[in-house]
Amino acid sequence: MFNYIPKDNIEEIAEGIVLDYLQEKAKDVTCIDIEGLLVDYFKLNIRYENFAEDDPNVDGYISDGVTPLQVWCNGKKIKKLYPEGTVVFDKYLLNIENSCHRRFSLAHEGGHYASHQIYGTLLGANHTGFDMERTYTMDELRKQFSITESQMNTMAAVFLMPKFLIEKTLKQYTNGEPIDVYGDTVFLQKDRDILKSMSDQLGVSPSALRIRLIKCGYINQRPIEELVEYMRQKGGWGYDCQ
């Protein structure tokens, strides 16, 4: 089974799908209705269940019509088989604080469906969030960081943040200018505020937006020494210099 999709293909496919879904609405949109993309465009059925998978980090699943999912039913674990193409998510994603996570999981499963339709890649996959506090087995790590799952994360990011929308949002907040980062991770507070405002508008996490901005070439990486010099020109680090 052919599983590898060239990165440029992922960008073109995902952005093309979003533009076809939006049609004339593309010029006015500020946030992608990702659930609408799955339901209205892909014609997928979305369900929410209380997951009972052995891996507690599994929170999304798209059925191949053959592989069952473990869920809780009347206090018991059961294996439930859904019709092919049914997308199932853990109910905890419906909590308001999990909105960004839910949107990314929806986009990820949409990526699995799109790649299945175009390239014949397999359905029946579980989407698993990575838990920094958990100790994983080698098999679990291989699944977490498989090429297919990484590609679906990339496609999810493009579904939620297509380049045309990134450019329009940057124009709104920075007049289209890239955002500076010092070293690998340090942003000035004004730029952190911009990233937060942009991510809130797009319905994604700031970290997801930052990764997407890097891939689109809209993060301007500067040496950390420039930050030190910037502070020196402001008058130094002491309280009486502020």
Side-chain angles (χ1 to χ4, degrees), residues 1 8 14 16 23 34 46-47 54 77 80-81 88 91 103 119 134 147 155 161 165 184 188 206 232 238 241:
M1 179 66 65
D8 289 346
Q23 297 289 321
I34 191 62
I46 296 177
R47 299 277 300 272
D54 294 335
K77 281 186 181 182
K80 193 168 182 179
L81 184 62
V88 190
K91 282 185 177 179
R103 284 172 51 77
Y119 294 103
R134 185 174 171 215
I147 290 175
M155 191 170 285
M161 297 168 281
L165 186 54
D184 293 324
L188 295 178
R232 183 179 293 115
C241 296

Side-chain angles (χ1 to χ4, degrees), residues 9-22 29-35 37-38 41-42 44 103-116 118 151-166 202-204 212:
N9 288 18
I10 293 174
E11 289 276 343
E12 285 193 66
I13 290 165
E15 183 130 359
I17 286 170
V18 171
L19 285 169
D20 190 50
Y21 164 60
L22 293 172
V29 74
T30 58
C31 178
I32 302 300
D33 176 8
I34 191 62
E35 190 158 340
L37 179 69
L38 268 65
Y41 188 82
F42 289 144
L44 295 172
R103 284 172 51 77
F104 197 87
S105 294
L106 281 160
H108 181 100
E109 299 305 336
H112 274 296
Y113 182 74
S115 65
H116 170 70
I118 296 169
Q151 289 182 326
M152 293 311 99
N153 284 340
T154 298
M155 191 170 285
V158 184
F159 280 156
L160 294 169
M161 297 168 281
K163 194 169 184 179
F164 81 88
L165 186 54
I166 286 288
L202 292 166
V204 298
R212 184 72 181 131

